[in-house]
mmCIF file of all heavy atoms in Angstrom:
data_model
loop_
_atom_site.group_PDB
_atom_site.id
_atom_site.type_symbol
_atom_site.label_atom_id
_atom_site.label_comp_id
_atom_site.label_asym_id
_atom_site.label_seq_id
_atom_site.Cartn_x
_atom_site.Cartn_y
_atom_site.Cartn_z
ATOM 1 N N THR A 1 109.245 168.310 226.809
ATOM 2 C CA THR A 1 108.025 169.111 226.757
ATOM 3 C C THR A 1 107.929 169.915 225.468
ATOM 4 O O THR A 1 106.830 170.281 225.055
ATOM 5 C CB THR A 1 107.914 170.051 227.977
ATOM 6 O OG1 THR A 1 109.093 170.853 228.056
ATOM 7 C CG2 THR A 1 107.733 169.268 229.265
ATOM 8 N N GLY A 2 109.052 170.189 224.834
ATOM 9 C CA GLY A 2 109.047 170.922 223.573
ATOM 10 C C GLY A 2 109.313 170.038 222.372
ATOM 11 O O GLY A 2 109.581 170.516 221.283
ATOM 12 N N TRP A 3 109.225 168.737 222.565
ATOM 13 C CA TRP A 3 109.518 167.752 221.518
ATOM 14 C C TRP A 3 108.205 167.066 221.176
ATOM 15 O O TRP A 3 107.694 166.260 221.957
ATOM 16 C CB TRP A 3 110.544 166.763 222.050
ATOM 17 C CG TRP A 3 110.961 165.744 221.076
ATOM 18 C CD1 TRP A 3 110.711 164.409 221.142
ATOM 19 C CD2 TRP A 3 111.701 165.952 219.899
ATOM 20 N NE1 TRP A 3 111.258 163.789 220.065
ATOM 21 C CE2 TRP A 3 111.869 164.711 219.286
ATOM 22 C CE3 TRP A 3 112.234 167.091 219.283
ATOM 23 C CZ2 TRP A 3 112.554 164.565 218.085
ATOM 24 C CZ3 TRP A 3 112.914 166.938 218.095
ATOM 25 C CH2 TRP A 3 113.068 165.687 217.518
ATOM 26 N N LEU A 4 107.630 167.397 220.024
ATOM 27 C CA LEU A 4 106.278 166.957 219.696
ATOM 28 C C LEU A 4 106.229 166.199 218.383
ATOM 29 O O LEU A 4 107.104 166.328 217.531
ATOM 30 C CB LEU A 4 105.354 168.177 219.634
ATOM 31 C CG LEU A 4 105.322 169.035 220.908
ATOM 32 C CD1 LEU A 4 104.549 170.309 220.654
ATOM 33 C CD2 LEU A 4 104.745 168.265 222.072
ATOM 34 N N ARG A 5 105.161 165.445 218.212
ATOM 35 C CA ARG A 5 104.967 164.690 216.975
ATOM 36 C C ARG A 5 103.993 165.430 216.071
ATOM 37 O O ARG A 5 102.994 165.977 216.525
ATOM 38 C CB ARG A 5 104.443 163.291 217.268
ATOM 39 C CG ARG A 5 105.477 162.450 217.963
ATOM 40 C CD ARG A 5 105.125 160.992 217.987
ATOM 41 N NE ARG A 5 103.883 160.712 218.684
ATOM 42 C CZ ARG A 5 103.474 159.497 219.001
ATOM 43 N NH1 ARG A 5 104.184 158.452 218.669
ATOM 44 N NH2 ARG A 5 102.344 159.318 219.628
ATOM 45 N N TYR A 6 104.317 165.375 214.799
ATOM 46 C CA TYR A 6 103.511 166.030 213.774
ATOM 47 C C TYR A 6 103.187 165.036 212.671
ATOM 48 O O TYR A 6 103.985 164.141 212.378
ATOM 49 C CB TYR A 6 104.286 167.197 213.138
ATOM 50 C CG TYR A 6 104.571 168.323 214.089
ATOM 51 C CD1 TYR A 6 105.650 168.271 214.965
ATOM 52 C CD2 TYR A 6 103.749 169.450 214.128
ATOM 53 C CE1 TYR A 6 105.908 169.308 215.850
ATOM 54 C CE2 TYR A 6 104.004 170.492 215.008
ATOM 55 C CZ TYR A 6 105.087 170.405 215.868
ATOM 56 O OH TYR A 6 105.343 171.427 216.738
ATOM 57 N N ALA A 7 102.041 165.240 212.042
ATOM 58 C CA ALA A 7 101.717 164.477 210.842
ATOM 59 C C ALA A 7 102.662 164.953 209.749
ATOM 60 O O ALA A 7 103.205 166.061 209.821
ATOM 61 C CB ALA A 7 100.258 164.706 210.447
ATOM 62 N N GLU A 8 102.854 164.148 208.743
ATOM 63 C CA GLU A 8 103.776 164.516 207.667
ATOM 64 C C GLU A 8 103.359 165.794 206.951
ATOM 65 O O GLU A 8 104.177 166.471 206.342
ATOM 66 C CB GLU A 8 103.947 163.355 206.702
ATOM 67 C CG GLU A 8 104.711 162.203 207.352
ATOM 68 C CD GLU A 8 104.798 160.968 206.485
ATOM 69 O OE1 GLU A 8 103.993 160.831 205.535
ATOM 70 O OE2 GLU A 8 105.659 160.127 206.779
ATOM 71 N N ASP A 9 102.062 166.157 207.042
ATOM 72 C CA ASP A 9 101.595 167.405 206.420
ATOM 73 C C ASP A 9 101.881 168.627 207.291
ATOM 74 O O ASP A 9 101.538 169.751 206.937
ATOM 75 C CB ASP A 9 100.101 167.322 206.091
ATOM 76 C CG ASP A 9 99.211 167.217 207.326
ATOM 77 O OD1 ASP A 9 99.720 167.291 208.475
ATOM 78 O OD2 ASP A 9 97.993 167.050 207.154
ATOM 79 N N GLY A 10 102.512 168.403 208.479
ATOM 80 C CA GLY A 10 102.893 169.508 209.342
ATOM 81 C C GLY A 10 101.924 169.811 210.470
ATOM 82 O O GLY A 10 102.210 170.656 211.316
ATOM 83 N N GLU A 11 100.790 169.113 210.501
ATOM 84 C CA GLU A 11 99.816 169.366 211.562
ATOM 85 C C GLU A 11 100.216 168.624 212.833
ATOM 86 O O GLU A 11 100.620 167.465 212.801
ATOM 87 C CB GLU A 11 98.422 168.915 211.113
ATOM 88 C CG GLU A 11 97.352 169.325 212.109
ATOM 89 C CD GLU A 11 95.962 169.249 211.509
ATOM 90 O OE1 GLU A 11 95.810 169.511 210.300
ATOM 91 O OE2 GLU A 11 95.036 168.942 212.269
ATOM 92 N N LEU A 12 100.097 169.298 213.973
ATOM 93 C CA LEU A 12 100.428 168.726 215.269
ATOM 94 C C LEU A 12 99.558 167.506 215.534
ATOM 95 O O LEU A 12 98.344 167.529 215.291
ATOM 96 C CB LEU A 12 100.209 169.785 216.350
ATOM 97 C CG LEU A 12 100.734 169.507 217.749
ATOM 98 C CD1 LEU A 12 102.238 169.279 217.735
ATOM 99 C CD2 LEU A 12 100.394 170.675 218.664
ATOM 100 N N GLU A 13 100.153 166.419 216.010
ATOM 101 C CA GLU A 13 99.413 165.183 216.278
ATOM 102 C C GLU A 13 98.298 165.430 217.293
ATOM 103 O O GLU A 13 97.169 164.998 217.109
ATOM 104 C CB GLU A 13 100.358 164.101 216.799
ATOM 105 C CG GLU A 13 99.628 162.832 217.184
ATOM 106 C CD GLU A 13 100.484 161.852 217.957
ATOM 107 O OE1 GLU A 13 101.397 162.275 218.679
ATOM 108 O OE2 GLU A 13 100.207 160.651 217.827
ATOM 109 N N ASN A 14 98.626 166.093 218.388
ATOM 110 C CA ASN A 14 97.639 166.430 219.411
ATOM 111 C C ASN A 14 98.183 167.608 220.214
ATOM 112 O O ASN A 14 99.280 168.084 219.953
ATOM 113 C CB ASN A 14 97.333 165.223 220.315
ATOM 114 C CG ASN A 14 98.578 164.690 220.998
ATOM 115 O OD1 ASN A 14 99.450 165.430 221.431
ATOM 116 N ND2 ASN A 14 98.678 163.376 221.086
ATOM 117 N N ASP A 15 97.439 168.058 221.186
ATOM 118 C CA ASP A 15 97.891 169.220 221.959
ATOM 119 C C ASP A 15 98.505 168.824 223.297
ATOM 120 O O ASP A 15 98.623 169.627 224.210
ATOM 121 C CB ASP A 15 96.746 170.212 222.176
ATOM 122 C CG ASP A 15 95.582 169.602 222.944
ATOM 123 O OD1 ASP A 15 95.620 168.397 223.243
ATOM 124 O OD2 ASP A 15 94.640 170.341 223.248
ATOM 125 N N VAL A 16 98.928 167.572 223.419
ATOM 126 C CA VAL A 16 99.549 167.078 224.638
ATOM 127 C C VAL A 16 101.059 167.292 224.546
ATOM 128 O O VAL A 16 101.712 166.745 223.663
ATOM 129 C CB VAL A 16 99.241 165.575 224.847
ATOM 130 C CG1 VAL A 16 99.918 165.052 226.098
ATOM 131 C CG2 VAL A 16 97.743 165.346 224.886
ATOM 132 N N PRO A 17 101.611 168.117 225.456
ATOM 133 C CA PRO A 17 103.059 168.335 225.403
ATOM 134 C C PRO A 17 103.806 167.082 225.845
ATOM 135 O O PRO A 17 103.254 166.226 226.535
ATOM 136 C CB PRO A 17 103.278 169.482 226.392
ATOM 137 C CG PRO A 17 102.143 169.379 227.342
ATOM 138 C CD PRO A 17 100.979 168.846 226.543
ATOM 139 N N GLY A 18 105.064 166.998 225.448
ATOM 140 C CA GLY A 18 105.901 165.900 225.926
ATOM 141 C C GLY A 18 106.113 166.054 227.415
ATOM 142 O O GLY A 18 105.604 166.981 228.039
ATOM 143 N N GLY A 19 106.858 165.174 228.028
ATOM 144 C CA GLY A 19 107.066 165.234 229.468
ATOM 145 C C GLY A 19 108.521 165.075 229.852
ATOM 146 O O GLY A 19 109.415 165.175 229.015
ATOM 147 N N HIS A 20 108.755 164.823 231.117
ATOM 148 C CA HIS A 20 110.091 164.580 231.646
ATOM 149 C C HIS A 20 110.259 163.071 231.812
ATOM 150 O O HIS A 20 109.479 162.435 232.519
ATOM 151 C CB HIS A 20 110.280 165.285 232.994
ATOM 152 C CG HIS A 20 110.287 166.768 232.860
ATOM 153 N ND1 HIS A 20 109.128 167.514 232.841
ATOM 154 C CD2 HIS A 20 111.304 167.639 232.712
ATOM 155 C CE1 HIS A 20 109.438 168.789 232.706
ATOM 156 N NE2 HIS A 20 110.757 168.889 232.628
ATOM 157 N N HIS A 21 111.283 162.531 231.169
ATOM 158 C CA HIS A 21 111.498 161.091 231.128
ATOM 159 C C HIS A 21 112.855 160.732 231.712
ATOM 160 O O HIS A 21 113.868 161.312 231.331
ATOM 161 C CB HIS A 21 111.464 160.583 229.683
ATOM 162 C CG HIS A 21 110.205 160.900 228.959
ATOM 163 N ND1 HIS A 21 109.195 159.987 228.816
ATOM 164 C CD2 HIS A 21 109.793 162.027 228.335
ATOM 165 C CE1 HIS A 21 108.207 160.546 228.124
ATOM 166 N NE2 HIS A 21 108.545 161.781 227.823
ATOM 167 N N ARG A 22 112.855 159.761 232.585
ATOM 168 C CA ARG A 22 114.131 159.233 233.055
ATOM 169 C C ARG A 22 114.732 158.408 231.921
ATOM 170 O O ARG A 22 114.025 157.636 231.265
ATOM 171 C CB ARG A 22 113.921 158.370 234.294
ATOM 172 C CG ARG A 22 115.198 157.719 234.762
ATOM 173 C CD ARG A 22 114.958 156.927 236.011
ATOM 174 N NE ARG A 22 116.057 156.000 236.195
ATOM 175 C CZ ARG A 22 116.147 155.170 237.210
ATOM 176 N NH1 ARG A 22 115.198 155.141 238.120
ATOM 177 N NH2 ARG A 22 117.164 154.354 237.308
ATOM 178 N N VAL A 23 116.029 158.571 231.722
ATOM 179 C CA VAL A 23 116.762 157.794 230.724
ATOM 180 C C VAL A 23 117.938 157.147 231.428
ATOM 181 O O VAL A 23 118.696 157.819 232.137
ATOM 182 C CB VAL A 23 117.287 158.679 229.571
ATOM 183 C CG1 VAL A 23 118.053 157.835 228.558
ATOM 184 C CG2 VAL A 23 116.150 159.425 228.881
ATOM 185 N N ASP A 24 118.095 155.851 231.239
ATOM 186 C CA ASP A 24 119.274 155.126 231.723
ATOM 187 C C ASP A 24 120.029 154.653 230.490
ATOM 188 O O ASP A 24 119.447 154.035 229.593
ATOM 189 C CB ASP A 24 118.866 153.923 232.575
ATOM 190 C CG ASP A 24 118.155 154.351 233.846
ATOM 191 O OD1 ASP A 24 118.727 155.173 234.585
ATOM 192 O OD2 ASP A 24 117.025 153.868 234.094
ATOM 193 N N ALA A 25 121.325 154.962 230.443
ATOM 194 C CA ALA A 25 122.123 154.606 229.279
ATOM 195 C C ALA A 25 123.474 154.056 229.714
ATOM 196 O O ALA A 25 124.037 154.495 230.721
ATOM 197 C CB ALA A 25 122.340 155.833 228.390
ATOM 198 N N THR A 26 123.975 153.115 228.946
ATOM 199 C CA THR A 26 125.325 152.609 229.148
ATOM 200 C C THR A 26 126.110 152.920 227.893
ATOM 201 O O THR A 26 125.701 152.560 226.781
ATOM 202 C CB THR A 26 125.330 151.090 229.415
ATOM 203 O OG1 THR A 26 124.548 150.844 230.591
ATOM 204 C CG2 THR A 26 126.746 150.572 229.627
ATOM 205 N N VAL A 27 127.223 153.611 228.094
ATOM 206 C CA VAL A 27 128.088 154.014 226.990
ATOM 207 C C VAL A 27 129.380 153.221 227.134
ATOM 208 O O VAL A 27 129.949 153.144 228.223
ATOM 209 C CB VAL A 27 128.375 155.531 227.037
ATOM 210 C CG1 VAL A 27 129.158 155.975 225.820
ATOM 211 C CG2 VAL A 27 127.075 156.319 227.163
ATOM 212 N N ARG A 28 129.828 152.619 226.028
ATOM 213 C CA ARG A 28 131.066 151.824 226.063
ATOM 214 C C ARG A 28 132.048 152.322 225.021
ATOM 215 O O ARG A 28 131.651 152.769 223.946
ATOM 216 C CB ARG A 28 130.767 150.359 225.786
ATOM 217 C CG ARG A 28 129.955 149.684 226.844
ATOM 218 C CD ARG A 28 129.867 148.180 226.540
ATOM 219 N NE ARG A 28 128.779 147.555 227.241
ATOM 220 C CZ ARG A 28 128.872 147.063 228.468
ATOM 221 N NH1 ARG A 28 129.984 147.142 229.126
ATOM 222 N NH2 ARG A 28 127.823 146.506 229.038
ATOM 223 N N GLN A 29 133.304 152.184 225.365
ATOM 224 C CA GLN A 29 134.361 152.516 224.416
ATOM 225 C C GLN A 29 134.882 151.222 223.821
ATOM 226 O O GLN A 29 135.294 150.307 224.530
ATOM 227 C CB GLN A 29 135.502 153.264 225.116
ATOM 228 C CG GLN A 29 136.582 153.695 224.153
ATOM 229 C CD GLN A 29 137.767 154.294 224.877
ATOM 230 O OE1 GLN A 29 138.225 153.770 225.874
ATOM 231 N NE2 GLN A 29 138.243 155.411 224.365
ATOM 232 N N ARG A 30 134.838 151.154 222.505
ATOM 233 C CA ARG A 30 135.368 150.004 221.772
ATOM 234 C C ARG A 30 136.172 150.556 220.601
ATOM 235 O O ARG A 30 135.690 151.429 219.883
ATOM 236 C CB ARG A 30 134.252 149.101 221.271
ATOM 237 C CG ARG A 30 133.437 148.475 222.397
ATOM 238 C CD ARG A 30 132.474 147.435 221.841
ATOM 239 N NE ARG A 30 131.477 147.039 222.792
ATOM 240 C CZ ARG A 30 131.644 146.099 223.722
ATOM 241 N NH1 ARG A 30 132.797 145.492 223.842
ATOM 242 N NH2 ARG A 30 130.652 145.781 224.536
ATOM 243 N N SER A 31 137.356 150.054 220.454
ATOM 244 C CA SER A 31 138.248 150.511 219.375
ATOM 245 C C SER A 31 138.399 152.030 219.385
ATOM 246 O O SER A 31 138.400 152.679 218.343
ATOM 247 C CB SER A 31 137.735 150.029 218.013
ATOM 248 O OG SER A 31 137.608 148.628 217.997
ATOM 249 N N GLY A 32 138.489 152.592 220.577
ATOM 250 C CA GLY A 32 138.701 154.028 220.721
ATOM 251 C C GLY A 32 137.477 154.901 220.508
ATOM 252 O O GLY A 32 137.562 156.120 220.577
ATOM 253 N N MET A 33 136.316 154.294 220.275
ATOM 254 C CA MET A 33 135.091 155.053 219.981
ATOM 255 C C MET A 33 134.057 154.799 221.069
ATOM 256 O O MET A 33 133.785 153.659 221.423
ATOM 257 C CB MET A 33 134.531 154.595 218.631
ATOM 258 C CG MET A 33 133.339 155.319 218.187
ATOM 259 S SD MET A 33 133.905 156.772 217.315
ATOM 260 C CE MET A 33 132.463 157.152 216.405
ATOM 261 N N TRP A 34 133.470 155.883 221.595
ATOM 262 C CA TRP A 34 132.405 155.769 222.588
ATOM 263 C C TRP A 34 131.057 155.726 221.878
ATOM 264 O O TRP A 34 130.776 156.565 221.025
ATOM 265 C CB TRP A 34 132.433 156.964 223.540
ATOM 266 C CG TRP A 34 133.586 156.950 224.491
ATOM 267 C CD1 TRP A 34 134.796 157.541 224.312
ATOM 268 C CD2 TRP A 34 133.634 156.313 225.761
ATOM 269 N NE1 TRP A 34 135.591 157.312 225.403
ATOM 270 C CE2 TRP A 34 134.905 156.566 226.318
ATOM 271 C CE3 TRP A 34 132.724 155.554 226.500
ATOM 272 C CZ2 TRP A 34 135.287 156.088 227.556
ATOM 273 C CZ3 TRP A 34 133.107 155.081 227.744
ATOM 274 C CH2 TRP A 34 134.372 155.348 228.262
ATOM 275 N N ARG A 35 130.236 154.720 222.242
ATOM 276 C CA ARG A 35 128.884 154.604 221.691
ATOM 277 C C ARG A 35 127.926 154.169 222.795
ATOM 278 O O ARG A 35 128.280 153.409 223.674
ATOM 279 C CB ARG A 35 128.838 153.566 220.575
ATOM 280 C CG ARG A 35 129.435 154.033 219.279
ATOM 281 C CD ARG A 35 129.041 153.074 218.149
ATOM 282 N NE ARG A 35 129.460 153.587 216.888
ATOM 283 C CZ ARG A 35 130.624 153.330 216.309
ATOM 284 N NH1 ARG A 35 131.486 152.546 216.905
ATOM 285 N NH2 ARG A 35 130.920 153.843 215.142
ATOM 286 N N VAL A 36 126.688 154.651 222.682
ATOM 287 C CA VAL A 36 125.643 154.213 223.604
ATOM 288 C C VAL A 36 125.218 152.824 223.155
ATOM 289 O O VAL A 36 124.807 152.631 222.012
ATOM 290 C CB VAL A 36 124.444 155.182 223.603
ATOM 291 C CG1 VAL A 36 123.357 154.685 224.546
ATOM 292 C CG2 VAL A 36 124.896 156.586 223.979
ATOM 293 N N GLU A 37 125.331 151.843 224.062
ATOM 294 C CA GLU A 37 124.959 150.468 223.727
ATOM 295 C C GLU A 37 123.650 150.048 224.362
ATOM 296 O O GLU A 37 122.931 149.234 223.811
ATOM 297 C CB GLU A 37 126.064 149.491 224.160
ATOM 298 C CG GLU A 37 127.301 149.589 223.302
ATOM 299 C CD GLU A 37 128.288 148.480 223.592
ATOM 300 O OE1 GLU A 37 128.110 147.721 224.577
ATOM 301 O OE2 GLU A 37 129.260 148.360 222.833
ATOM 302 N N GLU A 38 123.365 150.571 225.538
ATOM 303 C CA GLU A 38 122.117 150.238 226.226
ATOM 304 C C GLU A 38 121.369 151.532 226.490
ATOM 305 O O GLU A 38 121.968 152.534 226.880
ATOM 306 C CB GLU A 38 122.409 149.536 227.555
ATOM 307 C CG GLU A 38 123.140 148.225 227.383
ATOM 308 C CD GLU A 38 123.592 147.625 228.712
ATOM 309 O OE1 GLU A 38 122.960 147.931 229.748
ATOM 310 O OE2 GLU A 38 124.568 146.875 228.707
ATOM 311 N N LEU A 39 120.060 151.494 226.248
ATOM 312 C CA LEU A 39 119.242 152.683 226.403
ATOM 313 C C LEU A 39 117.873 152.272 226.902
ATOM 314 O O LEU A 39 117.231 151.416 226.298
ATOM 315 C CB LEU A 39 119.124 153.407 225.053
ATOM 316 C CG LEU A 39 118.433 154.754 225.020
ATOM 317 C CD1 LEU A 39 119.212 155.785 225.838
ATOM 318 C CD2 LEU A 39 118.298 155.226 223.573
ATOM 319 N N TYR A 40 117.461 152.841 228.029
ATOM 320 C CA TYR A 40 116.129 152.557 228.557
ATOM 321 C C TYR A 40 115.417 153.874 228.786
ATOM 322 O O TYR A 40 115.915 154.730 229.516
ATOM 323 C CB TYR A 40 116.197 151.770 229.866
ATOM 324 C CG TYR A 40 114.849 151.282 230.317
ATOM 325 C CD1 TYR A 40 114.354 150.069 229.871
ATOM 326 C CD2 TYR A 40 114.047 152.069 231.130
ATOM 327 C CE1 TYR A 40 113.096 149.636 230.245
ATOM 328 C CE2 TYR A 40 112.788 151.635 231.513
ATOM 329 C CZ TYR A 40 112.320 150.420 231.064
ATOM 330 O OH TYR A 40 111.067 149.999 231.431
ATOM 331 N N LEU A 41 114.289 154.043 228.136
ATOM 332 C CA LEU A 41 113.493 155.271 228.234
ATOM 333 C C LEU A 41 112.271 154.992 229.085
ATOM 334 O O LEU A 41 111.461 154.126 228.759
ATOM 335 C CB LEU A 41 113.050 155.715 226.841
ATOM 336 C CG LEU A 41 114.147 155.786 225.789
ATOM 337 C CD1 LEU A 41 113.550 156.041 224.432
ATOM 338 C CD2 LEU A 41 115.152 156.830 226.161
ATOM 339 N N HIS A 42 112.154 155.717 230.154
ATOM 340 C CA HIS A 42 111.020 155.532 231.067
ATOM 341 C C HIS A 42 109.855 156.427 230.647
ATOM 342 O O HIS A 42 110.007 157.360 229.860
ATOM 343 C CB HIS A 42 111.456 155.857 232.499
ATOM 344 C CG HIS A 42 112.552 154.956 232.988
ATOM 345 N ND1 HIS A 42 112.311 153.844 233.759
ATOM 346 C CD2 HIS A 42 113.896 154.995 232.807
ATOM 347 C CE1 HIS A 42 113.451 153.250 234.036
ATOM 348 N NE2 HIS A 42 114.438 153.924 233.477
ATOM 349 N N GLU A 43 108.701 156.162 231.212
ATOM 350 C CA GLU A 43 107.487 156.920 230.879
ATOM 351 C C GLU A 43 107.585 158.375 231.316
ATOM 352 O O GLU A 43 108.384 158.732 232.170
ATOM 353 C CB GLU A 43 106.292 156.275 231.569
ATOM 354 C CG GLU A 43 106.001 154.871 231.085
ATOM 355 C CD GLU A 43 104.857 154.225 231.843
ATOM 356 O OE1 GLU A 43 104.165 154.918 232.617
ATOM 357 O OE2 GLU A 43 104.670 153.025 231.659
ATOM 358 N N ALA A 44 106.713 159.193 230.753
ATOM 359 C CA ALA A 44 106.641 160.603 231.146
ATOM 360 C C ALA A 44 106.323 160.705 232.622
ATOM 361 O O ALA A 44 105.563 159.906 233.173
ATOM 362 C CB ALA A 44 105.562 161.317 230.333
ATOM 363 N N GLY A 45 106.941 161.681 233.268
ATOM 364 C CA GLY A 45 106.703 161.915 234.678
ATOM 365 C C GLY A 45 107.598 161.117 235.598
ATOM 366 O O GLY A 45 107.390 161.115 236.817
ATOM 367 N N THR A 46 108.594 160.433 235.057
ATOM 368 C CA THR A 46 109.465 159.595 235.892
ATOM 369 C C THR A 46 110.653 160.356 236.466
ATOM 370 O O THR A 46 111.485 159.772 237.154
ATOM 371 C CB THR A 46 109.936 158.344 235.115
ATOM 372 O OG1 THR A 46 110.471 158.755 233.857
ATOM 373 C CG2 THR A 46 108.788 157.389 234.903
#
C-alpha cells in the first residue's frame, strides 16, 4: 500500500495505492547459498 510507481520526473503515476498481494516463493540452498528460485505474485486483494 505504500509502494507506488512514479514517472521518472518524480510525479506519482496515479492516486491508486498499492494493495495486499499473496506471494508464493520457493527458496533453495545450492553450494551453501540460499536463493529464491520460484516466485509467484498474486493480484492485489489476494
